[in-house]
Amino acid sequence: MASSHSSASLPVRASLAFSRTAPLPGSLKSTASYDRVLASWSKAIDLFNSKLTKDESKRINLTQFPRAQFEDFLAAANAVKEQVERKRYPWTEHLHNVLRHINRYAVVGDIIVQHHAEYTSLVWGAFRFLLLFAVEERSSSEELSKALETIIQIVFRAEEYAKLFSTPSGSSTDRVFQSLHENLVRLFAEILSFLIRTTRFFEKPTLSKINNWNNVRRFVSAGISPFNTKFRGILKRIEDFERDVEKDKASKTQQEYQNGVWLKHADFEADLQKLQQVHISGTCQWFVHSQAYLQWRDTSSTSIAPDFMWIQGKPGSGKSVLASQIIQDLHSFGGSIVTYIFCKNGQENKNTLESILRNLIFEILEFSPQKQAFHRLLLNARLNEKSQYVQSMEVLWNLLTRIIIEVDIIHCLVDGLDECHSPESERIAFLNRLVKIFRQRTPHAKLVFLSQLQPSESEDSSFSSLWTNISIQPASVQDDIKLLALTRIENSKVLNLHPEKDGLLKQLVARSNGMPLWTDLMIEELEAGHWNIHNVLQRPPEGLFDLWRSILERISHSRRITERISHVLQLVLAAARPLSYEELALGLAVAQGLSQHEDYDRRGDATAEGRLIVNESSPLLNSLPDNTVELAHSSLKDYLFSQDALSVSKFFDFNEQDVHAQMSTILIKYMSFQSFSDAFTEQIQPGCFLLEYATRWLVYHSTRTGASTQTANELVIFFDTHQGWKWLQRLSDKYNVSFGHLQVLQSDLASWAQLSCFIDKIVSTFGSLLLVLAQNRHETMKSLPNDSPLLLDSMTNLARTLRYQGNWKEAEELQVQLMKIHKRILGKEHPDTLMSMHNLALGFDKQGRYKESEKLNELILEKSTKVLGEEHPSTLTTMSNLALTFENQGRYKESEKLNERILEARTKVLGAEHPETLKTMHNLASSFDSQGRYKESEELNERILEAKTRVLGAEHPETLTTMSNLASSFDSQGRYEQSEKLNEQILETRTRVLGAEHPDTLTTMHNLALSFGSQGRYKESEKLNEQILETKTRVLGAEHPETLRTMSNLALTFENQGRYEESEKLNMQILATRTRVLGAEHPETLKTMHNLASSFDRQGRYKESEKLDEQILETETRVLGAEHPDTLTTMHNLASSFHRQGRYKESEKLNEQILETRTRVLGEEHPNTLITMSNLASSFDSQGRCEESEKLNGKILETMTRVLGEEHPSTLTTMHNLAVTIFLQDRLKEAEQLLVKVTDTSTRVLGAEHPHTLTAMSCLAQNYHALDDRNKAIELMEKVVDLRSKKIGPNHPHTLNSVSLLNKYTST
């Protein structure tokens, strides 16, 4: 039998070796249950090995195969059985009969294995082998089968219990499970032992000698008896284990009924307490006292308010704190059940829609009288699902449906829906179903959601009508933020003592942008000891970056969504203003490859698509009430431009220049669509949502791309096509962008090109873009017939561009050509012909050719009256132009009379507050001002300002123009401080509305500089003029008339400071340019010659001054007329030059001539007439005719006091002149009284440092010296010297003269 022994042992080894690579059964590979059984199996192998003999250990070693399976041992035993069968023992047939008899129990076991393989497959396989080889009686097989089924059922129930109830380590339940584990180990070890004994039985040498079944039974019984004994003991212990499990189950069921753990709910009490602790008393009142909230809270049967409220606010806007106050108010209100849920990202039982539902059920169930019945319902659901918690959403929805009608009136609050991970479609479905269930109640249950997300759209059209939507706007929480900041600062030991405490409070409120969280975090940072609050406030507080990072991580579900959000953020980051839903949707489509409008038009509703985009990117984006989109807070921009954003995803690699470059590319690509490609028509179809933004803001984005050659090349290519000039045409014709704004755009492009060091072609193109595009447009239209409206429009546009750029000669040539074409094609009286004549007249006016302008305007007026009628708007416009021509010629009365006619007609036809009527009133006020009727001008301007503010708005350009006129009226009346204050207000508004470089803004700066000059603040005036000059040179060009005007003002400022050589040099430069650009006889050229003559005069170069004045006078008399205001001014200057040369008679004669003309033309009370009278009186003084001078000065003083007021600078100057005349007559006491009055009044009205005040003080000091009051004279002159040295410098002629007088007084 040695051979048998050898053959029997080999299969065992073979099967164990095979187990190394044998795969685990599929149903057992990854279950936690299987892992626990495998641990029992491993321990069983260790226990089995410990019982082997030394010889057996050599032959059977299982430790190297810790994952050996029962199947391996079964295979080995079957190999032995097959060997026995081949030998055909006499009792083999009887054995097969037994096996057939008990095989039906094997089928039962196999079925159980299929349904619960984790615990039973290994056990049943072993027992099936035992039945096959060791049992011959039916009773024994039935006993073993039943025992096995009992074990299987117990293990199954134990597993279900483990799933249903928590079994923490060390608990009594855990100890019970340990008992099961130990018994399974013993069971497995006994089976292994039995298998080995069975194998030995078949290997015995005597086996071949047994001839009958009884002997086999004896051998088998001897082998199985020890196993039977141990098996019954193990079975009993397992049955005891089941009883322990049932007891524990009953206890746990009662416990869970009390705490509701089976709903996997969360505890929100700590969240609520924390929020109430940080709440600042007095905040949130804007909401809890609001009508919308009070109506929602109302539970009476008469309430008609929606039962559902949606409160949306951007991150950090205080929603959660507001939620805590709503809860507190509801508790105080009483009469209802108050439930609340605070969703939290990252917390398993607070961050899903399912968790909201679970918590909602738990909260409501606490108040249900049927709580225990509902608990049993849920327990059964858990048993069916084999889960510790109810998994089925349908079961939860059904439960909510049943319990909601069982409780009293309920108010439910859910904060932080955006913290839940769920797609938009799931949120919509969730809200729809929740609303439907809540509406089953009568009265309905009240529900409020607080979220960063926008209210979801629903397919159910009635859904939106059920909700009251409230958006937390910055204005809503501004008072709360102020109270928060004030409380935190006052409670801070650091900030409460800060020297800039009040300013800090204002800045915190102003910069918060509706975000209390920003304010709170910023105060924390400031409390760390940062005393330079300005630096700290410039950067976002550190805690905000954590907020933005968490939001980015939460919304970036997939690569596709993350990339899409990245595109959206780039658009919003770059946007010059909040984009509309439609603009955002279309911009995103272009960024993602859209190439023609037709493809987009088929995609559906752009508004809905834009709203979906915002919801996807929420809460990073904030929707405004006008359906536009902006970043949630300015600090988000800082974060997105930081490296921290890049750490979230490579798609968030943003920088400021790149986002503008991307936007510029999108806008150029969009405006190049085929739908805009026709050069001869502008077919703007509905749905071109991005066109206005693209047209208005292209230059803005392009010039913010750094030195981006790609962007510059894209622009050059774009501008070189007809799309380029169509872009400009849309700006001016469709969107009414003024030429001043267009010049600023051109300047921005030119400056960008120069700073970026682009090639000359790019710099040249951008520097003259307006003219280049106008020429391109004209060139494109030249292929059309001569009478084509498009060709004529292009010529008109080119002429207008030339005119605005100061190229009046070229514009005139083109305008003449246009007028001839219109006359030939349309006739002499056609409105378009008259319009071309009007433009030509305007060109004459700009060139100072007033007579030609007047003649042409009279012709236009005649034809317009004949064709259109006297009251037609075009006729009235021509009359207005003619009145302006009269004004320019100094014919103020005629201008006034004509403007009064226009005003009457426009009031009748258009109404008293029509913009054109108000323009006429403005022209009339200007006429009053030119006549020195400043009070009338002021009163009329105030009426115009009130009407324009009401009709057009406080920041409309026309309103600001009227404010500027009013400021000028103040200036003319010597009310310099009021003028300055109003000009500063205008400047702030124009800078904000129009931009710092807009021509209107620069005009305001010019007026402010004049106001400084009038107050003797020459340094401030100089500085401001230099700033204006730099901007105008860059925006308008070095030779533009407005640039030259500023240079002239700067030269005047030099002269007022005694810097005559600098003034002369600058005037010479201006003169050369104006002579070349405008012509030698242009009014502006002649004004420059006048300024140069004044500079000669101030330097004592009287002959040169006289010669130049005579040249100017000859030209002005010929060009403007002998009675033109400019001609009379030149005569005045020439008379002054005679006076300074001691040619008093000639001066007197010329002044008398000027006086006669001004009295006749302007009136004897006109300021210019009174100035001439003053000059004449001075001429009398110089000739010793003091009595005549005194009489004339007295008359002037009486008139000025009446017309201008007693404290007007010109009135004070006249009083001063009268005092000097009295002084010259040695009436020193009278002179003293008058000079004291002038000095005191001038000090009070103009200021102690004003040149007029210092002149009066100097004369008073001289009067004291003449009175032999040496001390007063020295004291006062020292003051004059000191103030003049500080104000105009120690080397100014006036300062040097004062020093000379002081030295004289101190030396005598």
Side-chain angles (χ1 to χ4, degrees):
M1 293 302 295
S3 59
S4 297
H5 180 87
S6 175
S7 63
S9 61
L10 287 174
V12 174
R13 290 177 178 173
S15 67
L16 295 179
F18 176 75
S19 70
R20 281 184 154 187
T21 56
L24 294 175
S27 62
L28 306 180
K29 285 181 182 178
S30 60
T31 63
S33 301
Y34 181 78
D35 290 340
R36 288 193 291 272
V37 173
L38 191 60
S40 300
W41 169 246
S42 298
K43 287 190 176 182
I45 290 176
D46 294 339
L47 184 61
F48 167 75
N49 284 330
S50 68
K51 295 182 179 180
L52 294 176
T53 64
K54 189 175 182 180
D55 184 57
E56 287 172 336
S57 296
K58 293 178 182 179
R59 194 162 56 90
I60 305 172
N61 184 10
L62 302 181
T63 56
Q64 59 180 312
F65 307 114
R67 295 185 66 84
Q69 301 176 46
F70 279 113
E71 285 85 347
D72 298 330
F73 292 94
L74 292 178
N78 275 319
V80 175
K81 180 176 80 72
E82 290 170 2
Q83 202 174 40
V84 171
E85 289 177 338
R86 282 197 298 272
K87 293 189 180 271
R88 303 300 299 171
Y89 295 114
W91 43 265
T92 303
E93 187 63 30
H94 191 73
L95 178 61
H96 281 293
N97 290 333
V98 174
L99 293 177
R100 281 195 298 272
H101 177 69
I102 64 175
N103 191 56
R104 64 189 180 91
Y105 299 106
V107 173
V108 174
D110 288 341
I111 292 172
I112 296 175
V113 169
Q114 290 173 16
H115 286 84
H116 203 73
E118 298 98 303
Y119 270 139
T120 58
S121 60
L122 302 180
V123 178
W124 177 249
F127 270 91
R128 184 176 179 185
F129 173 79
L130 182 147
L131 292 171
L132 286 173
F133 287 95
V135 182
E136 84 290 7
E137 293 181 358
R138 179 172 178 175
S139 59
S140 298
S141 66
E142 287 181 353
E143 180 186 355
L144 288 172
S145 294
K146 289 178 181 178
L148 176 60
E149 289 179 12
T150 299
I151 292 175
I152 291 171
Q153 290 170 3
I154 292 172
V155 172
F156 174 79
R157 284 195 295 271
E159 176 66 15
E160 294 305 312
Y161 173 83
K163 289 180 180 179
L164 288 171
F165 298 98
S166 174
T167 55
S169 177
S171 64
S172 59
T173 308
D174 182 56
R175 289 194 295 273
V176 171
F177 274 93
Q178 287 296 329
S179 173
L180 171 64
H181 177 71
E182 292 168 4
N183 281 280
L184 284 176
V185 169
R186 292 192 185 97
L187 178 61
F188 290 158
E190 290 303 322
I191 291 172
L192 287 170
S193 298
F194 179 76
L195 288 174
I196 295 300
R197 287 198 296 274
T198 306
T199 302
R200 289 174 183 166
F201 168 76
F202 285 108
E203 291 176 344
K204 286 184 179 296
T206 54
L207 189 60
S208 57
K209 299 177 181 180
I210 299 175
N211 296 320
N212 58 65
W213 177 245
N214 289 330
N215 290 331
V216 172
R217 281 182 58 195
R218 189 172 65 253
F219 278 105
V220 170
S221 297
I224 198 173
S225 293
F227 175 77
N228 283 341
T229 303
K230 291 182 179 179
F231 177 78
R232 289 188 181 93
I234 292 171
L235 176 62
K236 184 177 184 305
R237 285 194 292 275
I238 289 176
E239 288 174 341
D240 293 341
F241 159 78
E242 181 184 25
R243 285 190 291 273
D244 291 340
V245 166
E246 288 298 324
K247 289 179 182 178
D248 195 60
K249 176 182 174 183
S251 172
K252 285 287 178 63
T253 301
Q254 183 61 28
Q255 183 181 349
E256 291 191 2
Y257 164 68
Q258 297 296 331
N259 60 30
V261 72
W262 43 270
L263 273 172
K264 205 176 183 180
H265 72 283
D267 183 8
F268 301 111
E269 190 60 31
D271 297 325
L272 179 61
Q273 289 179 3
K274 183 177 179 181
L275 291 168
Q276 289 178 340
Q277 286 171 1
V278 300
H279 170 251
I280 301 296
S281 178
T283 59
C284 302
Q285 299 304 301
W286 65 272
F287 180 80
V288 295
H289 291 159
S290 68
Q291 192 67 25
Y293 170 71
L294 295 175
Q295 288 178 350
W296 173 83
R297 188 185 67 176
D298 182 15
T299 56
S300 66
S301 58
T302 59
S303 174
I304 58 172
D307 296 319
F308 310 105
M309 179 177 288
W310 191 285
I311 304 173
Q312 184 268 332
K314 61 187 176 184
S317 58
K319 297 180 298 299
S320 295
V321 173
L322 176 60
S324 73
Q325 294 311 293
I326 294 173
I327 294 167
Q328 182 172 314
D329 180 74
L330 289 172
H331 281 307
S332 302
F333 179 63
S336 72
I337 297 168
V338 180
T339 65
Y340 48 89
I341 296 167
F342 293 98
C343 301
K344 294 290 182 182
N345 178 41
Q347 295 188 20
E348 183 183 359
N349 55 352
K350 296 183 180 181
N351 68 344
T352 62
L353 295 176
E354 180 186 325
S355 66
I356 293 178
L357 189 55
R358 290 179 180 280
N359 285 300
L360 193 57
I361 292 171
F362 174 78
E363 293 276 336
I364 298 174
L365 198 55
E366 288 297 300
F367 301 96
S368 172
Q370 304 295 325
K371 178 179 178 181
Q372 192 162 1
F374 288 130
H375 177 76
R376 284 195 295 272
L377 178 68
L378 266 292
L379 182 59
N380 290 334
R382 291 165 61 195
L383 291 171
N384 291 335
E385 294 178 6
K386 304 175 183 178
S387 169
Q388 186 175 347
Y389 308 103
V390 177
Q391 303 291 341
S392 169
M393 284 287 283
E394 197 59 37
V395 170
L396 293 172
W397 280 119
N398 290 336
L399 181 60
L400 180 63
T401 304
R402 292 177 62 177
I403 65 174
I404 196 72
I405 60 176
E406 298 289 338
V407 295
D408 292 330
I409 297 170
I410 183 170
H411 284 97
C412 180
L413 179 146
V414 179
D415 176 53
L417 181 63
D418 48 276
E419 300 276 342
C420 294
H421 296 286
S422 57
E424 174 76 1
S425 57
E426 290 185 15
R427 284 203 303 269
I428 293 174
F430 180 86
L431 291 170
N432 269 321
R433 190 156 185 180
L434 191 61
V435 166
K436 192 176 293 185
I437 292 173
F438 268 57
R439 295 192 76 212
Q440 293 177 357
R441 286 187 45 85
T442 303
H444 300 153
K446 302 282 188 172
L447 180 65
V448 58
F449 273 89
L450 295 94
S451 177
Q452 296 172 359
L453 303 171
Q454 301 297 315
S456 299
E457 293 295 317
S458 171
E459 294 179 5
D460 182 359
S461 59
S462 65
F463 179 79
S464 59
S465 65
L466 301 175
W467 291 82
T468 296
N469 294 326
I470 294 177
S471 177
I472 302 177
Q473 297 297 322
S476 307
V477 294
Q478 186 171 9
D479 289 342
D480 284 3
I481 292 172
K482 185 175 182 180
L483 186 55
L484 164 66
L486 180 63
T487 304
R488 289 290 308 275
I489 290 173
E490 288 181 347
N491 292 337
S492 170
K493 294 180 180 178
V494 175
L495 300 180
N496 198 30
L497 301 175
H498 200 287
E500 298 183 59
K501 172 183 171 182
D502 294 336
L504 172 60
L505 177 62
K506 291 179 181 177
Q507 289 198 59
L508 286 170
V509 176
R511 291 171 179 266
S512 64
N513 192 25
M515 198 170 177
L517 177 62
W518 179 91
T519 307
D520 201 47
L521 292 173
M522 184 57 75
I523 291 174
E524 284 185 14
E525 198 151 323
L526 289 166
E527 282 186 312
H530 299 286
W531 280 74
N532 191 336
I533 63 173
H534 302 290
N535 287 347
V536 178
L537 289 170
Q538 292 302 318
R539 59 177 188 263
E542 294 179 4
L544 275 187
F545 274 26
D546 296 333
L547 170 68
W548 301 130
R549 185 189 310 110
S550 67
I551 293 173
L552 274 185
E553 290 170 347
R554 191 170 75 237
I555 66 177
S556 302
H557 304 303
S558 64
R559 177 190 173 93
R560 183 188 66 80
I561 292 176
T562 304
E563 189 171 4
R564 182 174 165 91
I565 291 173
S566 171
H567 283 308
V568 172
L569 289 175
Q570 285 189 68
L571 291 170
V572 179
L573 279 168
R577 59 157 174 76
L579 297 173
S580 68
Y581 286 154
E582 297 82 2
E583 289 169 339
L584 185 60
L586 191 48
L588 180 60
V590 176
Q592 293 179 332
L594 182 72
S595 58
Q596 57 181 358
H597 242 301
E598 292 74 14
D599 292 341
Y600 187 77
D601 292 341
R602 291 191 288 267
R603 290 170 61 165
D605 185 356
T607 305
E609 186 174 351
R611 186 177 289 111
L612 177 62
I613 291 168
V614 173
N615 284 340
E616 278 184 352
S617 306
S618 184
L620 298 175
L621 302 182
N622 185 34
S623 284
L624 302 176
D626 60 352
N627 285 339
T628 57
V629 183
E630 66 177 5
L631 290 176
H633 190 263
S634 58
S635 62
L636 176 56
K637 185 174 184 178
D638 296 314
Y639 175 73
L640 292 173
F641 285 151
S642 74
Q643 287 297 307
D644 195 83
L646 180 58
S647 68
V648 177
S649 169
K650 66 179 182 180
F651 293 111
F652 300 134
D653 185 10
F654 301 132
N655 71 67
E656 193 155 9
Q657 292 177 354
D658 286 350
V659 297
H660 283 294
Q662 173 71 4
M663 179 67 93
S664 176
T665 299
I666 289 171
L667 301 184
I668 291 172
K669 182 179 177 182
Y670 178 72
M671 288 190 289
S672 301
F673 275 7
Q674 188 67 28
S675 52
F676 309 128
S677 65
D678 191 342
F680 303 108
T681 58
E682 182 73 333
Q683 297 175 346
I684 301 177
Q685 303 168 354
C688 300
F689 303 113
L690 193 58
L691 187 60
E692 181 177 357
Y693 184 91
T695 304
R696 287 184 181 275
W697 297 103
L698 173 63
V699 173
Y700 171 86
H701 293 294
S702 301
T703 54
R704 283 162 175 76
T705 60
S708 174
T709 305
Q710 178 182 341
T711 302
N713 287 331
E714 288 174 353
L715 283 173
V716 169
I717 293 170
F718 176 71
F719 290 145
D720 200 38
T721 66
H722 59 265
Q723 296 288 14
W725 59 256
K726 288 180 74 175
W727 161 76
L728 185 61
Q729 183 184 5
R730 275 195 301 273
L731 275 173
S732 59
D733 297 349
K734 183 173 178 61
Y735 301 129
N736 299 318
V737 174
S738 68
F739 200 84
H741 261 124
L742 297 180
Q743 288 174 313
V744 172
L745 295 180
Q746 176 180 274
S747 170
D748 288 344
L749 283 169
S751 299
W752 171 55
Q754 289 168 355
L755 291 172
S756 302
C757 300
F758 292 144
I759 60 175
D760 292 342
K761 178 185 176 183
I762 296 176
V763 175
S764 174
T765 299
F766 293 167
S768 56
L769 183 64
L770 301 181
L771 186 58
V772 167
L773 294 182
Q775 289 169 338
N776 287 350
R777 177 181 177 185
H778 185 49
E779 286 297 319
T780 304
M781 299 305 169
K782 277 185 176 180
S783 61
L784 299 172
N786 288 339
D787 59 349
S788 168
L790 292 175
L791 174 60
L792 298 177
D793 282 348
S794 72
M795 293 175 68
T796 302
N797 175 65
L798 181 55
R800 181 178 60 193
T801 303
L802 290 167
R803 189 168 64 246
Y804 275 126
Q805 295 197 325
N807 299 327
W808 291 313
K809 280 291 181 186
E810 293 178 65
E812 180 185 341
E813 292 172 7
L814 202 57
Q815 204 65 56
V816 169
Q817 186 181 347
L818 263 169
M819 184 177 68
K820 289 178 179 179
I821 295 173
H822 278 128
K823 283 182 178 180
R824 176 170 49 82
I825 296 172
L826 304 172
K828 294 182 179 180
E829 296 179 347
H830 191 276
D832 288 353
T833 306
L834 298 178
M835 179 56 68
S836 64
M837 293 170 68
H838 157 78
N839 291 334
L840 183 59
L842 185 62
F844 289 155
D845 208 67
K846 288 291 185 181
Q847 296 176 71
R849 294 156 61 182
Y850 304 127
K851 284 296 180 185
E852 293 173 82
S853 176
E854 178 186 348
K855 185 177 179 181
L856 192 54
N857 272 315
E858 285 176 339
L859 179 60
I860 300 167
L861 180 59
E862 177 190 341
K863 294 185 179 298
S864 185
T865 302
K866 175 184 173 184
V867 175
L868 303 173
E870 190 176 36
E871 295 183 345
H872 189 277
S874 295
T875 306
L876 296 175
T877 297
T878 304
M879 290 174 69
S880 184
N881 294 335
L882 184 59
L884 179 62
T885 304
F886 291 157
E887 180 96 10
N888 287 333
Q889 296 177 74
R891 295 155 62 183
Y892 305 125
K893 285 292 182 185
E894 293 174 81
S895 175
E896 177 187 349
K897 186 177 180 181
L898 192 54
N899 274 316
E900 285 175 341
R901 277 180 58 196
I902 301 166
L903 180 59
E904 182 184 353
R906 279 182 167 163
T907 303
K908 175 184 173 185
V909 176
L910 303 175
E913 294 187 344
H914 190 278
E916 292 300 318
T917 307
L918 296 175
K919 279 184 183 178
T920 306
M921 292 173 68
H922 160 263
N923 294 338
L924 187 58
S926 178
S927 182
F928 291 158
D929 200 74
S930 298
Q931 297 176 68
R933 293 154 64 183
Y934 305 127
K935 277 292 179 186
E936 292 174 81
S937 174
E938 178 186 347
E939 290 170 3
L940 190 53
N941 274 316
E942 285 177 339
R943 281 174 54 200
I944 300 167
L945 180 59
E946 187 277 329
K948 282 185 176 179
T949 303
R950 182 162 32 81
V951 175
L952 303 175
E955 297 186 348
H956 190 279
E958 288 296 324
T959 308
L960 296 174
T961 298
T962 302
M963 290 175 69
S964 184
N965 294 336
L966 185 59
S968 178
S969 183
F970 290 156
D971 202 75
S972 298
Q973 297 176 70
R975 293 152 63 183
Y976 303 127
E977 289 186 3
Q978 286 177 271
S979 174
E980 178 184 346
K981 187 176 180 181
L982 192 55
N983 273 317
E984 286 176 341
Q985 182 183 341
I986 300 165
L987 180 59
E988 186 278 327
T989 306
R990 278 181 166 164
T991 302
R992 177 166 41 80
V993 175
L994 303 176
E997 298 183 349
H998 190 278
D1000 289 354
T1001 307
L1002 298 175
T1003 298
T1004 307
M1005 293 173 70
H1006 159 80
N1007 294 337
L1008 189 58
L1010 286 180
S1011 182
F1012 289 157
S1014 297
Q1015 297 175 69
R1017 294 156 60 184
Y1018 302 128
K1019 280 292 181 186
E1020 293 173 79
S1021 178
E1022 176 188 350
K1023 185 177 180 181
L1024 194 54
N1025 273 313
E1026 286 176 339
Q1027 183 183 341
I1028 300 165
L1029 180 59
E1030 185 278 327
T1031 306
K1032 282 186 174 178
T1033 303
R1034 180 163 38 80
V1035 174
L1036 305 175
E1039 297 186 347
H1040 192 280
E1042 285 298 316
T1043 307
L1044 297 173
R1045 182 185 177 206
T1046 302
M1047 291 175 69
S1048 185
N1049 293 335
L1050 184 59
L1052 179 62
T1053 305
F1054 290 157
E1055 185 172 303
N1056 287 330
Q1057 295 177 76
R1059 295 154 60 183
Y1060 304 127
E1061 290 183 1
E1062 292 176 77
S1063 174
E1064 177 186 347
K1065 184 178 179 181
L1066 193 54
N1067 275 317
M1068 292 286 281
Q1069 181 184 340
I1070 300 165
L1071 179 60
T1073 305
R1074 278 180 167 166
T1075 302
R1076 176 166 42 82
V1077 175
L1078 304 176
E1081 296 185 347
H1082 191 281
E1084 294 297 321
T1085 307
L1086 296 173
K1087 283 180 181 177
T1088 306
M1089 293 173 68
H1090 155 73
N1091 293 338
L1092 187 59
S1094 175
S1095 183
F1096 291 158
D1097 194 82
R1098 291 294 186 96
Q1099 295 176 71
R1101 295 156 60 184
Y1102 304 127
K1103 283 295 180 184
E1104 292 174 79
S1105 174
E1106 178 186 346
K1107 184 178 179 180
L1108 195 55
D1109 277 332
E1110 286 175 341
Q1111 180 184 341
I1112 300 166
L1113 181 59
E1114 185 278 327
T1115 305
E1116 286 180 338
T1117 303
R1118 178 168 39 83
V1119 174
L1120 302 176
E1123 296 183 350
H1124 190 279
D1126 288 355
T1127 307
L1128 296 174
T1129 297
T1130 303
M1131 291 174 69
H1132 160 81
N1133 293 337
L1134 186 58
S1136 296
S1137 183
F1138 290 159
H1139 187 90
R1140 288 192 178 92
Q1141 295 177 66
R1143 296 156 61 183
Y1144 304 127
K1145 279 293 181 183
E1146 292 173 83
S1147 173
E1148 178 186 347
K1149 184 178 180 181
L1150 195 53
N1151 274 317
E1152 285 176 340
Q1153 183 183 341
I1154 300 167
L1155 179 60
E1156 186 278 327
T1157 306
R1158 279 182 165 168
T1159 301
R1160 178 166 39 80
V1161 174
L1162 303 176
E1164 67 175 4
E1165 294 187 350
H1166 190 280
N1168 288 354
T1169 306
L1170 296 173
I1171 288 172
T1172 304
M1173 291 172 68
S1174 182
N1175 291 338
L1176 185 59
S1178 180
S1179 182
F1180 291 158
D1181 272 333
S1182 298
Q1183 297 176 66
R1185 295 155 61 185
C1186 297
E1187 290 182 2
E1188 292 175 76
S1189 174
E1190 181 181 349
K1191 185 178 179 180
L1192 190 56
N1193 273 317
K1195 182 180 179 182
I1196 299 167
L1197 180 59
E1198 185 275 327
T1199 305
M1200 281 190 170
T1201 302
R1202 178 165 40 80
V1203 174
L1204 302 177
E1206 187 178 18
E1207 296 183 347
H1208 190 280
S1210 295
T1211 306
L1212 296 174
T1213 299
T1214 303
M1215 290 175 66
H1216 173 269
N1217 293 339
L1218 181 59
V1220 170
T1221 301
I1222 295 171
F1223 174 84
L1224 292 173
Q1225 299 177 65
D1226 290 328
R1227 291 152 56 190
L1228 301 179
K1229 281 295 180 183
E1230 291 178 66
E1232 178 187 353
Q1233 290 176 1
L1234 208 53
L1235 286 169
V1236 167
K1237 183 177 181 180
V1238 174
T1239 302
D1240 290 346
T1241 307
S1242 187
T1243 301
R1244 176 167 46 80
V1245 175
L1246 302 176
E1249 297 180 350
H1250 193 279
H1252 290 183
T1253 306
L1254 295 175
T1255 299
M1257 290 170 67
S1258 179
C1259 287
L1260 182 58
Q1262 292 177 60
N1263 197 80
Y1264 285 145
H1265 185 265
L1267 287 167
D1268 293 329
D1269 194 341
R1270 184 170 174 274
N1271 291 334
K1272 279 188 178 181
I1274 292 173
E1275 181 184 356
L1276 198 55
M1277 192 58 75
E1278 283 177 343
K1279 186 175 182 181
V1280 173
V1281 169
D1282 179 58
L1283 291 174
R1284 278 181 168 166
S1285 297
K1286 290 178 181 178
K1287 198 68 180 175
I1288 55 179
N1291 297 320
H1292 192 282
H1294 292 170
T1295 308
L1296 295 174
N1297 181 61
S1298 301
V1299 170
S1300 176
L1301 290 171
L1302 180 60
N1303 290 335
K1304 178 183 175 181
Y1305 299 161
T1306 55
S1307 64
T1308 58

